[in-house]
Amino acid sequence: MNTTFAVLKNLESNEKISTLDLGIEDPNLHGILLSLSSKNIIEFEIKDHMIHTLSDEGIHTVDNGSHEYNFHSSIPEGGIPVGDNSNPIGRSQAFNNRWIKIQNDMIYKKEENILDTVRNQLQSLNILTVQELSNLKKRNLITSKRSNYYIISRGPQFGKSTEDLQINITSEDIINNTTLNLKPFNFNTVGNFPEFGNFHPLNKMRTEIKNVFIEMGFSEMSTDHYVETSFWNFDSLFQPQDHPSRDSHDTFFVDSKKKIEVPLDYFRRVKEIHEKGGFGSTGHGNNWKEAEAHKLILRTHTTAESARKLYEISQNEFKPMKLFSVDRVFRNESVDATHLAEFHQVEGLIIAKDLKISHLMGILEEFFKKLNMPQIRFKPAFNPYTEPSMEVFAYHEGLDRWMEVGNSGIFRPEMLRPMGFDEDVRVIAWGLSLERPAMIKYKLNNIRELLGHKVDFEFIKNTGLCSFD
Ligand code: FB9
């Protein structure tokens, strides 16, 4: 008999039924009751109870008697020596039951006629008390597990044919004032969970970091030069043309004859500062090649955009500014679990008169405090375009360790003076990546779990809000 029929048939003669009493067991029972309930044919409530079944040891006891009963039956009239260890469990349990006694180092029966209580209990588990069941469970004679059963009663639509229930009202019904037999709304049913888009965790990290800059009064720079001239990416930053980072082992070169225009007078001043120095600098004293400066590359840092922006600022009336950028940069480096040939650089800079390294340390403290890393330390470092330069380290509470969180410095006069800035104009700047904080926040070990064709869409869906609190 199928389950639905069994339930409805029993409800015809009983207002309320229990699946436990009727022995109705079906792995789909819950779904069947939900379906009948959604049509108001039945109503039901879920109950739970313990189901006790004989273990292998319990079955052996029912078939062969308990250890204690068999030990008692094995004692002859003359008794057995105390040292007899043929049935230690039976002897111990028989002592506990006061079925045997010891005299002169011999064991004798104390009671002649006894009942094998345990065996009898195992043959009628459903009438045992909680304590009796607990004792049998302690002896591993039974196993118990929690199980659901249902108390079912008739619903408002019980016995009515569900086929003729209407689910729509037509214009004819209204015109003819038809008596409606509408299917009741089932307000308990759950609709299909709507699928919707999800922001990529890296985009969420970018938004959070942008918000930190905006909170601190910074404005965003444009970063629309993925393809950049070596001039803006390196030469304008006073990075020498023979610097190792400028060769193809570290930089992607673009095979194009297209020329990106650079202001001629500025171009000449950059050539001058590299070859002969100026503004107190001895320069690099090298032969600076224009062709090298015009080579097209994929930008290796967003500092190239900072250089463009600073040159633009230098052509207008001076005013202090706080600027930031977050965008992709490209490096021809060997890829590994935490590095790809590109990453997102975050860069912040402040241009004002007479800024000092203490200002840089202070703004970095404020910035990383907003990333929930208030403890930071500085380590002297070298960058071709900043002096002094510092690596930044922060203590990460969650990981309980210090970690490198970025690099920073004061742009050199050899970068700023050729743009046309006065001697007292200073620019403090710092940079970090987007991928590192994202991997730490989302506990990823391989960057391919964050970016690329192997990313798990469920990970994207389930990352939740990106916050630094
Ligand atoms: O992002 C980095 N680490 C980092 C940042 C935030 C963070 O947040 C916490 C969890 C919440 C955790 C870690 N780093 C910079 C440090 C290291 O990861 C480093 O190994 C990798 N660096 C990249 C460069 O690697 C080729 C990160 C990237 C980086 C380094 C320097 C700059 C920008 C990005 C810069 C700069 C700069 C300096 C002076 C003036 C202007 C810009």
Side-chain angles (χ1 to χ4, degrees):
M1 184 191 298
N2 87 352
T3 304
T4 303
F5 181 79
V7 167
L8 298 178
K9 191 69 184 160
N10 280 286
L11 273 177
E12 281 176 3
S13 44
N14 304 283
E15 284 197 18
K16 195 169 276 206
I17 60 174
S18 156
T19 56
L20 181 62
D21 298 345
L22 294 172
I24 296 178
E25 291 185 9
D26 181 328
N28 303 314
L29 180 56
H30 190 82
I32 290 166
L33 297 182
L34 277 177
S35 171
L36 291 171
S37 161
S38 70
K39 296 166 191 159
N40 289 310
I41 295 169
I42 64 160
E43 292 168 0
F44 70 92
E45 54 182 314
I46 301 177
K47 301 281 188 185
D48 70 12
H49 71 128
M50 296 304 286
I51 292 181
H52 307 287
T53 48
L54 294 181
S55 65
D56 292 345
E57 178 70 12
I59 292 167
H60 181 271
T61 302
V62 169
D63 294 345
N64 305 294
S66 65
H67 292 295
E68 56 271 30
Y69 186 83
N70 294 332
F71 178 77
H72 178 275
S73 306
S74 72
I75 301 172
E77 200 163 328
I80 55 175
V82 165
D84 177 298
N85 209 23
S86 59
N87 179 354
I89 296 174
R91 186 176 64 186
S92 162
Q93 199 59 46
F95 262 124
N96 293 344
N97 295 352
R98 294 185 170 68
W99 290 352
I100 55 178
K101 63 186 176 185
I102 293 177
Q103 276 174 352
N104 308 324
D105 288 342
M106 293 294 283
I107 297 175
Y108 299 98
K109 288 182 182 175
K110 189 175 177 181
E111 301 288 341
E112 192 51 45
N113 301 314
I114 55 163
L115 279 177
D116 192 346
T117 319
V118 163
R119 184 185 192 193
N120 296 341
Q121 286 177 345
L122 290 172
Q123 289 169 310
S124 50
L125 293 178
N126 58 332
I127 59 169
L128 301 184
T129 64
V130 172
Q131 187 56 53
E132 287 165 334
L133 288 166
S134 172
N135 294 338
L136 294 177
K137 202 171 173 191
K138 277 179 197 154
R139 292 183 59 177
N140 290 323
L141 293 173
I142 61 171
T143 57
S144 306
K145 70 169 185 167
R146 189 168 295 286
S147 172
N148 284 343
Y149 67 96
Y150 302 88
I151 303 298
I152 308 168
S153 51
R154 299 170 190 160
Q157 295 300 325
F158 182 78
K160 292 177 187 167
S161 159
T162 56
E163 278 61 47
D164 56 13
L165 286 181
Q166 281 175 270
I167 54 174
N168 295 312
I169 299 177
T170 64
S171 52
E172 287 74 17
D173 290 333
I174 296 169
I175 294 165
N176 305 328
N177 196 21
T178 311
T179 304
L180 301 172
N181 181 19
L182 289 175
K183 179 184 177 193
F185 281 106
N186 173 11
F187 294 103
N188 303 319
T189 189
V190 179
N192 295 325
F193 191 76
E195 285 297 321
F196 49 83
N198 302 87
F199 286 110
H200 190 284
L202 210 56
N203 287 333
K204 290 191 272 194
M205 179 61 72
R206 177 171 56 183
T207 302
E208 280 307 301
I209 288 195
K210 281 187 174 183
N211 288 342
V212 166
F213 276 112
I214 290 163
E215 272 173 38
M216 294 174 70
F218 284 68
S219 307
E220 188 166 9
M221 290 183 271
S222 70
T223 53
D224 44 10
H225 301 87
Y226 281 12
V227 175
E228 183 55 280
T229 59
S230 293
F231 176 82
W232 287 113
N233 198 84
F234 296 119
D235 297 294
S236 72
L237 302 176
F238 194 57
Q239 191 148 340
Q241 291 193 332
D242 59 357
H243 191 282
S245 68
R246 293 186 66 156
D247 73 21
S248 61
H249 295 299
D250 287 18
T251 299
F252 287 111
F253 284 84
V254 176
D255 182 13
S256 161
K257 296 289 174 265
K258 179 173 169 33
K259 268 205 170 188
I260 296 181
E261 289 314 307
V262 177
L264 196 53
D265 62 329
Y266 174 49
F267 191 85
R268 287 188 180 131
R269 291 197 297 273
V270 169
K271 175 181 172 68
E272 176 94 10
I273 199 81
H274 276 255
E275 290 184 334
K276 300 172 183 162
F279 311 105
S281 166
T282 57
H284 292 305
N286 57 7
N287 172 25
W288 189 82
K289 302 182 186 68
E290 292 188 22
E292 185 60 34
H294 281 298
K295 283 182 181 174
L296 293 183
I297 63 168
L298 294 183
R299 68 180 177 215
T300 62
H301 48 197
T302 47
T303 317
E305 299 287 1
S306 303
R308 283 173 173 267
K309 184 63 184 176
L310 289 168
Y311 178 75
E312 177 195 311
I313 293 169
S314 71
Q315 304 307 296
N316 300 298
E317 186 187 345
F318 180 79
K319 64 177 181 169
M321 295 181 86
K322 297 190 287 190
L323 301 166
F324 77 92
S325 62
V326 183
D327 211 335
R328 292 164 73 176
V329 296
F330 310 88
R331 303 207 180 167
N332 187 8
E333 289 174 339
S334 51
V335 296
D336 59 25
T338 56
H339 291 86
L340 294 174
E342 63 178 273
F343 64 92
H344 289 75
Q345 180 175 339
V346 177
E347 182 154 325
L349 67 85
I350 301 177
I351 175 169
K353 303 256 185 184
D354 298 325
L355 288 175
K356 297 177 178 55
I357 195 164
S358 54
H359 295 103
L360 178 56
M361 290 175 162
I363 202 72
L364 286 169
E365 253 174 48
E366 191 55 32
F367 180 78
F368 284 103
K369 193 187 296 178
K370 288 180 178 290
L371 297 187
N372 202 22
M373 293 191 288
Q375 295 180 76
I376 63 172
R377 290 174 178 164
F378 304 100
K379 180 183 170 189
F382 174 78
N383 288 322
Y385 42 88
T386 54
E387 183 57 37
S389 307
M390 303 181 296
E391 283 174 351
V392 188
F393 290 81
Y395 179 72
H396 190 281
E397 197 80 33
L399 298 176
D400 187 22
R401 64 179 174 88
W402 287 87
M403 65 175 66
E404 185 185 350
V405 292
N407 196 302
S408 64
I410 302 181
F411 283 138
R412 299 178 65 127
E414 293 92 333
M415 171 182 166
L416 301 177
R417 301 302 303 278
M419 291 182 177
F421 287 114
D422 293 341
E423 186 182 5
D424 58 351
V425 170
R426 297 278 187 282
V427 179
I428 56 177
W430 73 98
L432 61 150
S433 73
L434 213 48
E435 283 79 3
R436 286 301 296 149
M439 288 184 70
I440 290 167
K441 179 158 202 59
Y442 296 113
K443 300 179 177 58
L444 303 177
N445 299 315
N446 192 313
I447 198 163
R448 285 155 193 77
E449 297 169 65
L450 182 67
L451 285 168
H453 66 288
K454 291 185 177 174
V455 171
D456 174 4
F457 277 109
E458 287 310 308
F459 162 68
I460 303 276
K461 279 179 169 178
N462 300 325
T463 46
L465 283 175
C466 171
S467 79
F468 291 108
D469 300 329

